[in-house]
Amino acid sequence: METHKQLTIGLFGFGVVGEGLYKVLQQTPSLKAELKKVCIRHPEKKRNAPAELFTTSKEELLEDPSINVIVEVIDDADAAFTIVSTALRNGKDVVSASKKMIAEHLEALLQLQQETGRSLLYESAACASIPVIRNLEEYYDNDLLHSIKAIVNGSTNFILTKMFEEGLDFKQALILAQQLGFAESNPKLDVEGYDAVNKWTFLLTHAYGIKAAPEEILFNGIQNIQAGDAAVARARNQQIKLVAQAQKLQDGKVAAFVLPQFVNHDDHLAFVKNEYNGVVIESGFADKQFFYGKGAGSFPTASAVLSDISALRYQYKYEYKKLYHHTPHELSNDLYLRVYVSFDNLDLIPRDQFAWIEEWHAQEERKYLVGVIAFGELKKNNWWREGNTSLILTPNPVIEDVEIRKLKKRSLELAGLV
Ligand code: HSE
């Protein structure tokens, strides 16, 4: 049996990640992977590698029978999908870092892997240096995965850290994240939560067998967070983080969302600063486990790409165990969330959509409330992301439907109405 396959690589992209990978490969001769060609879009740019390595012709890589691995680390999701699907069809294994492409084409990519029998690995596409996909895929292959709570976007975490702990303003912090190579070329993808929700879609597939398009998952970014919100967090000894969360409910379905959240000072995620990412997994019998590492940047991302390349030597493939070997879980809308909402204008807050409101702070410069609202109301409506309104989840925000029904029944009983 062939155990250590000789790898000949065609690389697409020589930006922050591509160049990082080039350097990392040079420092890992034991891998015995030959980088044969690099396809780039801008030949006029100066590159820190021999000129004969580069081409602008994608066919030179995709049609070369001696290249058996395509590594794709480009920025354009549509072009990436064409490259990845052609490579798989041409019998090559693929390593990709394109989270947007994977999230948007997950169904087609699953089919292509089945049809071609080739391997598509993308550990670097979520949480960069943290081996979260392979852990979800290999370790938690049972029904005991209760919840995952994670910081999956390095740029927003970097911006929040720099703003609220080091006093930079939003623009300065974002520019720094861009200069350090953490941010997407369109930073709106980071700031408004698109990058995080893209990553969350395929992490949900590996965790729970859920196949959801990014737009099916409730999400927002950090664009509406105000200085007043950070002051509330400080007063409560909490921090604000952009948290991706998935939690199994009593009916077996899964609640999943990506929203800013107040995090208690002793929560594992409070420890995650700057461009680091963190993943807290709760599973039966094991209680909590915490994974921590750099979630963005040239070498941390390249190190995950390298690990995927290395796994191809022994023909590693994702089996998508939760999808194909277990009964896949479904997403639920039957839950409530305890939320903090700060606002300028009370008239823009539809109070009737809340199940109940627990706190009113109308005297503060920045007014806010804390209340419980049906998940479905947030999914249907947009008031909470508009008009300078900021919605932040409270710690442990999920309230199950059954608990609400019990509470309602109890209050009716107390009122003598039943
Ligand atoms: N822009 C991404 C982030 C890069 O900040 O997390 C890593 O996926």
Side-chain angles (χ1 to χ4, degrees):
M1 191 184 136
E2 190 188 12
T3 49
H4 279 84
K5 199 170 151 180
Q6 176 62 41
L7 305 177
T8 306
I9 301 171
L11 169 65
F12 282 85
F14 206 74
V16 172
V17 182
E19 189 176 339
L21 179 66
Y22 174 72
K23 290 182 184 153
V24 164
L25 276 171
Q26 283 184 317
Q27 289 171 39
T28 341
S30 59
L31 189 60
K32 293 201 176 60
E34 182 210 351
L35 179 59
K36 188 165 180 197
K37 270 281 161 214
V38 182
C39 183
I40 46 168
R41 219 171 21 178
H42 298 291
E44 68 288 356
K45 272 195 199 163
K46 188 178 159 5
R47 312 279 176 177
N48 296 319
E52 59 275 16
L53 203 55
F54 296 98
T55 175
T56 51
S57 151
K58 59 180 189 216
E59 287 73 28
E60 244 187 85
L61 282 64
L62 293 169
E63 308 297 333
D64 180 344
S66 74
I67 290 179
N68 55 7
V69 176
I70 292 294
V71 176
E72 172 283 301
V73 291
I74 66 171
D75 201 25
D76 174 337
D78 294 332
F81 180 62
T82 310
I83 291 163
V84 169
S85 42
T86 311
L88 291 170
R89 285 208 183 90
N90 290 358
K92 302 180 192 309
D93 291 323
V94 178
V95 175
S96 169
S98 297
K99 45 277 163 98
K100 185 166 184 283
M101 182 278 290
I102 298 161
E104 288 172 357
H105 296 281
L106 189 62
E107 184 74 58
L109 293 170
L110 288 169
Q111 240 174 29
L112 271 165
Q113 287 170 81
Q114 291 212 304
E115 275 166 34
T116 62
R118 299 321 312 172
S119 176
L120 167 64
L121 304 180
Y122 42 82
E123 188 63 71
S124 63
C127 300
S129 70
I130 309 176
V132 62
I133 296 177
R134 257 189 268 170
N135 267 297
L136 289 172
E137 187 63 33
E138 302 302 333
Y139 188 85
Y140 300 95
D141 67 335
N142 50 45
D143 289 328
L144 298 175
L145 189 64
H146 294 328
S147 71
I148 324 176
K149 195 168 79 164
I151 291 171
V152 296
N153 180 268
S155 299
T156 45
N157 203 53
F158 181 88
I159 293 169
L160 291 172
T161 308
K162 293 290 173 221
M163 280 173 73
F164 298 140
E165 293 181 28
E166 294 174 30
L168 264 63
D169 70 24
F170 179 86
K171 244 196 174 146
Q172 287 172 314
L174 174 59
I175 290 171
L176 207 50
Q178 287 174 306
Q179 285 168 346
L180 291 166
F182 305 150
E184 299 301 301
S185 50
N186 173 5
K188 186 179 148 161
L189 294 175
D190 294 302
V191 171
E192 298 188 11
Y194 294 97
D195 181 73
V197 77
N198 284 337
K199 292 165 175 166
W200 209 228
T201 57
F202 52 88
L203 288 179
L204 286 173
T205 312
H206 291 284
Y208 293 110
I210 289 169
K211 284 192 286 183
E215 55 276 11
E216 289 173 69
I217 297 171
L218 183 73
F219 78 97
N220 202 11
I222 62 165
Q223 70 276 21
N224 300 340
I225 296 174
Q226 311 268 330
D229 303 331
V232 171
R234 261 193 302 275
R236 296 179 180 207
N237 204 10
Q238 294 170 338
Q239 293 175 33
I240 302 170
K241 299 281 187 194
L242 182 60
V243 177
Q245 191 165 334
Q247 184 172 324
K248 228 188 300 169
L249 303 176
Q250 285 179 34
D251 63 4
K253 290 189 181 176
V254 172
F257 44 84
V258 179
L259 291 168
Q261 188 169 139
F262 288 107
V263 166
N264 286 327
H265 75 284
D266 56 355
D267 191 301
H268 291 90
L269 294 185
F271 178 72
V272 181
K273 309 275 185 193
N274 292 314
E275 79 274 26
Y276 280 83
N277 284 182
V279 184
V280 180
I281 293 181
E282 263 188 274
S283 67
F285 313 119
D287 196 9
K288 279 187 191 160
Q289 289 148 311
F290 177 44
F291 298 80
Y292 170 75
K294 285 195 173 164
S298 179
F299 287 141
T301 313
S303 97
V305 174
L306 186 79
S307 173
D308 280 349
I309 294 172
S310 168
L312 289 176
R313 283 189 308 174
Y314 51 91
Q315 281 121 51
Y316 178 73
K317 285 191 177 79
Y318 298 142
E319 284 179 62
Y320 298 94
K321 295 186 178 73
K322 321 294 170 63
L323 186 60
Y324 299 134
H325 303 181
H326 291 251
T327 309
H329 289 282
E330 280 175 52
L331 283 179
S332 174
N333 284 329
D334 298 329
L335 63 134
Y336 288 72
L337 291 174
R338 182 173 277 114
V339 300
Y340 155 104
V341 181
S342 75
F343 49 88
D344 291 338
N345 182 357
L346 181 57
D347 297 339
L348 298 177
I349 309 299
R351 278 165 283 177
D352 55 321
Q353 283 178 19
F354 283 80
W356 66 83
I357 291 175
E358 296 175 347
E359 288 182 40
W360 275 108
H361 298 263
Q363 312 311 326
E364 321 290 317
E365 200 175 310
R366 173 90 178 154
K367 303 172 190 60
Y368 71 92
L369 62 83
V370 176
V372 171
I373 190 162
F375 189 74
E377 293 289 357
L378 293 179
K379 269 195 134 172
K380 300 202 281 251
N381 297 295
N382 262 334
W383 59 265
W384 55 276
R385 355 169 180 242
E386 292 167 351
N388 220 12
T389 300
S390 160
L391 179 139
I392 303 174
L393 298 177
T394 61
N396 307 313
V398 173
I399 307 177
E400 297 219 25
D401 226 14
V402 283
E403 291 169 50
I404 297 275
R405 278 201 295 270
K406 272 191 222 150
L407 284 169
K408 280 191 179 154
K409 188 160 169 265
R410 179 92 187 108
S411 66
L412 288 174
E413 280 165 5
L414 286 172
L417 295 173
V418 288

